[in-house]
Each structure stands twice: as C-alpha cells, then as structure tokens.
Amino acid sequence: MKLVFGDLQDMFQVMLILGMVTNTIAWPIDTFDVFDYGATGFGEVDDSQAFMMAWRDACNGDGSDEAGVIVPEVGTFLLNPIMFYGPCNPQIIHFIILGTIIAPSSPTSWDGLDSSKWIAFKDVIGLNVYGPGLINGNGMNWWDQSCQYHPDKVFNFLSCKEGTLSNLQIINSPQTHVLIIYSTGFNVDNLMIQSPQNTPNTDGIHIHSSHYVKITNSIIGTGDDCISIGDFTSNINIANIECGPGHGISIGSLGKDGEMVQVENIRVSDSSFTRTTNGARIKTWQVGRGNIRHVIFENLVFDNVENPIIIDQYYCDIRGTCKEEKTGVKISDVVYKNLYGTSSSNIAINLNCSRSVPCSGISMKT
C-alpha cells in the first residue's frame, strides 16, 4: 500500500492509525509538570527556566526508581538553548512531550547564546524522550544564511546510555534535526522528521562516536541525508525507514582532514527511498585513513533515485578538484542484498573506489 500525505498533520494522523504513535502514556510514579514551575505555554515567552527546574527535581528525586518531566498537550513552549544534565538519581527518567516546543524564530534572538545546540541531554542514563508532540526548530530564517552561523542541532544526546527517542514530530531544524554522539545503547523509533527539500545540511539523524544504536519505523524527509553515520561508530541497526526527499542513508563523509576512520557493523534494511539524490551511500575523502567494514544493505526499495547504490572514495567539496592521494579509507566486506527499484539517472550502481586503497569484499546478492 502506498500512502500519499497532504501535509505533516495528515502524515501524523496516519501514523496514529497505523499504531506508530500511541496516546496512551504509562506515567512514571513521580511526574513534574512544567506548568507547575511557571511555564506559560504561550509560545512567545521564554519557558527555559521552568523546564530546567522541572528537570532538576525529576533528576534529583530519590523517592522512586522512575521520574518524569511532562510538557503538557495544551501549550506551545518557547525554549532558548538548554542543556539537561545527568546522571540522575532515578534509574529511569522520562521526558514526555505532549505539546509543542519551538525555537526562537529570529537569528538575532540567539545573540549571546550558545548556538551550537538547542535542546541537549548530557550524561543521562535510562533516558526516555517521547511524545506524541511536536518539536519545531523554526529554521526558516536561517536557511538562506551561511551555515556556519546556524544553530547546529535541534535534539542533542551527548554521552547518554540506554536511552530512547520515540513518537515525535521534529521539523524545520536550522541544521541537523537529531544528533547522537558519544552514546551507547540508544534506540530511536517512530519519528517523523521533515524539512523542505532545498534546505542546507538539515540531516534527519546523525550518529557520531556511538555504539549499539537502533533506528526504526520512521519517516524522514529533509534537505540532506535522512540518516548519516559519522566516525567511530559501530553496531548500528537501521530498519523500516521511509526516506525522501533527501540525500539517502549515508556512511560518511569520513576522513576529511586525514583523520583515522573506524566504522564497522552497520546494517540498513527493509527501507524505501523516494526521489532522493542517493540511496545506500558510502563516502570518504582520499586523505582519510582507517576502515569501514562489515556493512549490510538489505531489502531496500528505490523509487526514482539518482544514485541508488554508490561508493565514493573521491568525495570532495568541489568534485574533481581534489588531487589523487596515496592514502585512503579501506572499505571492505560490504553486502548488497535484495535491492531493487528505479534510478533517475543512467548509472544505478556506482562503485567509485580508490586506486590507492581499493574496495574489497563487495558482494551483490538477490
């Protein structure tokens, strides 16, 4: 069955019908409502302080194994850059988003603030962030400016362990929508991530220096990679993703400044790509070193994709301007299994491997 969505709300309603999102919340024992800490929910007044105080009490609580912050359904909450620190006393801590959270819409509103991140969780163990709610990065006024001046990521998970992110709409980030970095055992499920097709560097989810990450059952359409896998990552499982528009699901780019690359045990399966620039992509810079190995792309469907299958070991800011190097990232043991569909270009499979450090162990199976 092919679903056609008129807008984000239509898409989310279908997710509800299909059971991808649940309105039944299993409340933790101790809950801390941001309204009780002075949040206005007007969408025009900064509610960051109320969120910080609710988090402080939930995180410091010692009366229960579980605690949670509640963002109520009735309300639109304006937040400036905010960091929620752990570790917390409860073994499991919930961050329950029922309403809408928005970022400041004007670039000048960020003057004097840390624009490297917007909503961030750091050093939290047993964190569960879920909805159904809406996170709006309000990136419209940023996209026509130089990317170096953008707020960097909407949702940041830094050094978190055994966490989850699920059942949310995340839209219109100035740049990357979700960053998972230095984290272990993190599961992402049932997200809808959207930004316009022509928006710069608006990756859906970026993973870096993280291990045992699972991303499933999500609809992602942005101006860049639906999911991108950065350096020092391993044991990543991506499944049941609807990708498009965007640049596909990418490993890389890696090794830009001659760094040592270490990426392994990556699996992308049971996913679809619709009118994307790329499908299953691996991209490295010639000056990089190290390895990408043990990668599986399986059960993927391509619909009018420009580069359905591509390995590019000559990735460059401006194609054709980077000179041949004697170094390179070794790409090995890559399996393509049961991939089918249509290409919008004449070259459906492009294995542009390095002469100096050639690919090895590349197999294609039906």
Side-chain angles (χ1 to χ4, degrees), residues 208-243:
H208 185 85
S209 295
S210 295
H211 313 282
Y212 297 98
V213 176
K214 187 176 182 179
I215 303 173
T216 54
N217 305 316
S218 296
I219 300 169
I220 305 175
T222 69
D224 211 301
D225 294 326
C226 293
I227 300 171
S228 57
I229 298 170
D231 204 357
F232 298 104
T233 57
S234 66
N235 298 291
I236 310 298
N237 189 352
I238 298 168
N240 296 306
I241 305 299
E242 293 185 24
C243 174

Side-chain angles (χ1 to χ4, degrees), residues 206-283:
H206 181 68
I207 310 164
H208 185 85
S209 295
S210 295
H211 313 282
Y212 297 98
V213 176
K214 187 176 182 179
I215 303 173
T216 54
N217 305 316
S218 296
I219 300 169
I220 305 175
T222 69
D224 211 301
D225 294 326
C226 293
I227 300 171
S228 57
I229 298 170
D231 204 357
F232 298 104
T233 57
S234 66
N235 298 291
I236 310 298
N237 189 352
I238 298 168
N240 296 306
I241 305 299
E242 293 185 24
C243 174
H247 295 177
I249 296 178
S250 297
I251 298 174
S253 61
L254 301 174
K256 180 176 182 180
D257 296 314
E259 301 98 340
M260 178 64 69
V261 172
Q262 186 176 340
V263 174
E264 59 187 356
N265 298 330
I266 311 296
R267 181 186 179 93
V268 180
S269 65
D270 303 296
S271 298
S272 64
F273 303 80
T274 303
R275 294 183 296 277
T276 53
T277 306
N278 307 286
R281 176 165 65 160
I282 300 174
K283 50 180 179 175

